């Protein structure tokens, strides 16, 4: 699988056209400034990683993109449109934004099928189209053996597959993943990496990933950024970043390799 991921990283279909732009973004909680005059762009059909220590502002940036947090200053552009003041539900629906949080993301007392159905009923009006979409996602994410199993009884890898499938019920163009590899065994990590890359390859979805597992993240992204104290201190391809002095000092430490 590692060679497959490496191959996809240089695919020519990625567009040099930003789908997400954060301009001079500043996020504050009370008197505490989390993100300071941040400028960031994610290209169409790109898998972009966001790395940084705890408290660097990664989740706050994601929350601002989807509209859960309103910035104190700056603008958020999606496909060139200013969405800074657009409510979350309108923003995510109009621009096809899906977010998979680190914790939760599914209803624990609902089965795999019921979780998918609950989301499908919100986004797909026609019953036959809903059922077709659900069945397609069950096959695509290899959930056939757990359709009748409640979410709380699924393994960590199965829950992650389910939440990814739920995110894909609607017509997703932008997928934001917060800690998708957390608490997963190596085999499950590989499985999730493969799903992420296949979504880029076959669905042309733009993906942004934040995770503390640097090696797992860097093995499946095209580019990544290092965030420290609310500012981007380094960015580039995985190969460039691990050689970047500022990235090493701020995050990786000496001797880090991928």
């Amino acid at each position: 699988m590692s060679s497959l991921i490496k191959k996809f990283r240089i695919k020519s279909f990625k567009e040099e056209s930003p789908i997400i732009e954060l301009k001079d973004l500043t996020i504050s909680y009370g008197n505490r400034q989390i993100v300071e005059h941040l400028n960031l762009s994610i290209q169409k059909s790109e898998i972009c990683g966001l790395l940084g220590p705890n408290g660097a502002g990664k989740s706050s940036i994601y929350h601002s993109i989807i509209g859960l947090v309103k910035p104190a200053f700056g603008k958020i552009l999606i496909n060139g449109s200013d969405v800074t003041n657009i409510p979350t539900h309108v923003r995510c629906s109009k621009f096809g934004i899906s977010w998979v949080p680190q914790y939760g993301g599914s209803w624990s007392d609902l089965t795999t099928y019921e979780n998918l159905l609950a989301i499908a009923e919100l986004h797909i009006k026609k019953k036959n189209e809903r059922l077709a979409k659900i069945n397609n996602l069950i096959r695509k994410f290899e959930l056939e053996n757990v359709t009748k199993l409640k979410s709380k009884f699924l393994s960590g890898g199965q829950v992650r597959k389910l939440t990814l499938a739920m995110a894909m019920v609607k017509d997703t163009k932008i997928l934001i993943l917060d800690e998708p590899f957390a608490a997963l065994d190596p085999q499950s990590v590989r499985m999730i990496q493969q799903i992420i890359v296949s979504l880029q390859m076959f669905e042309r979805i733009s993906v942004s990933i934040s995770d503390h597992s640097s090696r797992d993240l860097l093995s499946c992204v095209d580019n990544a950024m290092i965030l420290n104290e609310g500012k981007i201190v380094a960015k580039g391809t995985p190969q460039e970043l691990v050689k970047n002095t500022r990235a090493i000092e701020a995050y990786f430490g000496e001797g880090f390799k991928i």
Side-chain angles (χ1 to χ4, degrees):
M1 182 57 211
S2 58
S3 61
L4 194 64
I5 293 171
K6 186 176 180 181
K7 176 183 176 183
F8 285 149
R9 190 180 294 152
I10 58 173
K11 295 295 288 186
S12 60
F13 62 74
K14 294 188 291 294
E15 300 178 37
E16 290 300 320
S17 175
I19 193 166
I20 296 175
E21 294 175 274
L22 307 182
K23 295 191 173 183
D24 219 16
L25 191 77
T26 299
I27 301 172
S28 300
Y29 297 129
N31 295 324
R32 185 185 173 205
Q33 197 166 77
I34 305 299
V35 175
E36 182 181 356
H37 299 293
L38 183 80
N39 290 288
L40 177 156
S41 64
I42 298 173
Q43 307 301 316
K44 290 181 180 178
S45 302
E46 176 184 49
I47 302 178
C48 178
L50 193 59
L51 292 166
N54 286 328
K58 303 184 298 297
S59 293
S60 294
I61 289 171
Y62 283 162
H63 291 166
S64 71
I65 291 173
I66 62 178
L68 293 178
V69 170
K70 186 173 182 178
F73 188 80
K75 292 182 178 181
I76 302 164
L77 305 182
I78 307 291
N79 260 339
S81 298
D82 186 348
V83 303
T84 312
N85 297 310
I86 295 178
T88 297
H89 68 284
V90 176
R91 186 184 308 191
C92 291
S93 176
K94 182 176 180 179
F95 295 97
I97 305 171
S98 289
W99 173 51
V100 178
Q102 177 182 357
Y103 301 109
S106 64
W107 290 280
S108 61
D109 280 325
L110 296 184
T111 66
T112 295
Y113 190 91
E114 289 167 343
N115 269 285
L116 290 167
L117 181 60
I119 299 298
E121 287 178 339
L122 291 175
H123 295 287
I124 305 173
K125 293 182 179 180
K126 295 182 179 179
K127 182 178 179 180
N128 61 329
E129 292 180 5
R130 281 201 303 268
L131 298 181
K133 183 74 171 186
I134 291 169
N135 290 329
N136 180 53
L137 288 169
I138 287 171
R139 289 192 299 271
K140 180 181 290 188
F141 288 85
E142 299 181 356
L143 294 166
E144 294 95 336
N145 295 330
V146 294
T147 55
K148 297 181 180 180
L149 203 60
K150 289 186 177 182
S151 174
K152 62 185 176 184
F153 297 127
L154 300 179
S155 68
Q158 289 168 338
V159 169
R160 203 72 88 240
K161 285 201 297 182
L162 171 58
T163 53
L164 281 166
M166 291 168 68
M168 298 306 299
V169 167
K170 68 179 184 182
D171 185 18
T172 297
K173 303 296 182 186
I174 300 168
L175 181 61
I176 296 175
L177 305 175
D178 198 354
E179 302 277 351
F181 309 125
L184 295 185
D185 61 84
Q187 187 174 355
S188 295
V189 168
R190 295 294 239 190
M191 173 184 63
I192 299 304
Q193 289 173 326
Q194 185 175 11
I195 289 172
I196 292 168
V197 172
S198 68
L199 290 174
Q200 178 199 38
M201 176 65 178
F202 300 111
E203 308 289 342
R204 299 293 194 268
I205 291 173
S206 306
V207 184
S208 185
I209 309 170
S210 173
D211 206 282
H212 285 297
S213 181
S214 304
R215 289 183 179 84
D216 293 332
L217 182 147
L218 291 174
S219 73
C220 66
V221 301
D222 301 300
N223 292 286
M225 306 174 194
I226 307 295
L227 194 72
N228 193 30
E229 296 182 350
K231 297 180 180 179
I232 293 174
V233 297
K235 57 183 177 180
T237 66
Q239 292 84 358
E240 291 168 344
L241 270 185
V242 296
K243 299 175 184 177
N244 186 298
T245 302
R246 296 190 70 187
I248 293 169
E249 291 175 351
Y251 188 65
F252 293 130
E254 293 291 341
F256 178 83
K257 296 179 181 180
I258 54 175

